[in-house]
Amino acid sequence: MRVNRILLSTALIVVALVIQVSVLSRLHLPGAVPDLLLLTVLGLAIVYGHVGGALVGFGAGLLADLAPPADHAAGRYALVLCVIGYLAGLVKPENGRLKSATGPMVVVVAAAIGATLLYAGVGALVGDTAARHVGLGSLLFTAALYDLLLAPFVVPGIMWLARRADGDPLVEANSPAQGTDISSGWLSAGTGLRIGGQRNGLRVKAARARTARAGRIKGVKRL
């Protein structure tokens, strides 16, 4: 990975982990805890691809394994996020564009369910049966729900920062010929708004208004 990718990924992962431990884990929501670290890995993996996603996921998971108050074996969550990051990176669009918000949302739900199942499976192998006492079905449902609600506020921003750090021209381009930023595409698809088209439309309307105003002024002078 390039240096700018490593620096950005490290900063985002540290911030996400601090918020995860100090805020989200203390909300005492029923079932699972919203996984901000998982969403950060997903956003980076969709931009960096499967290799970058696996490396980012492993580093993020290992940091979470070592950060207090971790109560599980070191390397457990690193394995989970490494697999999730690799799989999420496989859905990276080749041209960097997302046509709708459906794909990323499906990735978030699948990642939340897959991470919970994989974490519980690895825990069963090492003798950790905590998931059985809490209820695996409840954990799966709440994990998918919380992450799906949090994703639109996290993943597009992570993707935009990743592309901007890479100097991707899609971040600066808004015309149909050049395409739109992948995160802007998600936001526009989810809201039904076309950001680049809106700006161009406003400019055309303003130009037409100025032309019409100039025509009226000239007509008055002639009279």
Side-chain angles (χ1 to χ4, degrees), residues 1-111:
M1 293 181 67
R2 288 179 286 184
V3 176
N4 55 344
R5 289 188 174 188
I6 295 175
L7 294 177
L8 177 64
S9 300
T10 302
L12 291 176
I13 288 170
V14 170
V15 171
L17 183 61
V18 170
I19 297 176
Q20 180 83 30
V21 173
S22 61
V23 179
L24 297 180
S25 61
R26 298 185 180 183
L27 295 178
H28 301 294
L29 297 173
V33 176
D35 200 335
L36 184 61
L37 196 61
L38 173 65
L39 297 178
T40 302
V41 171
L42 289 179
L44 294 173
I46 295 176
V47 176
Y48 294 159
H50 58 284
V51 176
L55 294 175
V56 170
F58 179 80
L62 186 60
L63 187 61
D65 288 332
L66 300 177
D71 56 354
H72 55 268
R76 181 175 171 184
Y77 202 48
L79 174 62
V80 172
L81 288 188
C82 180
V83 174
I84 295 299
Y86 178 85
L87 295 177
L90 293 177
V91 304
K92 173 187 175 182
E94 293 184 1
N95 58 359
R97 304 175 195 173
L98 290 174
K99 296 182 179 179
S100 69
T102 305
M105 290 301 181
V106 171
V107 172
V108 169
V109 173

Side-chain angles (χ1 to χ4, degrees), residues 144-218:
L145 178 62
Y146 297 153
D147 290 350
L148 187 61
L149 293 176
L150 188 61
F153 304 99
V154 177
V155 180
I158 297 294
M159 295 164 68
W160 182 84
L161 287 174
R163 286 202 168 276
R164 188 173 182 84
D166 274 357
D168 197 311
L170 290 179
V171 175
E172 304 297 336
N174 284 324
S175 63
Q178 294 175 313
T180 55
D181 177 23
I182 191 170
S183 57
S184 300
W186 184 355
L187 290 175
S188 62
T191 59
L193 300 177
R194 295 182 179 178
I195 300 175
Q198 269 194 327
R199 292 177 179 175
N200 293 334
L202 291 175
R203 291 173 182 173
V204 171
K205 289 181 180 180
R208 289 177 179 176
R210 287 195 297 268
T211 303
R213 189 180 306 168
R216 288 196 298 268
I217 293 174
K218 291 180 179 179

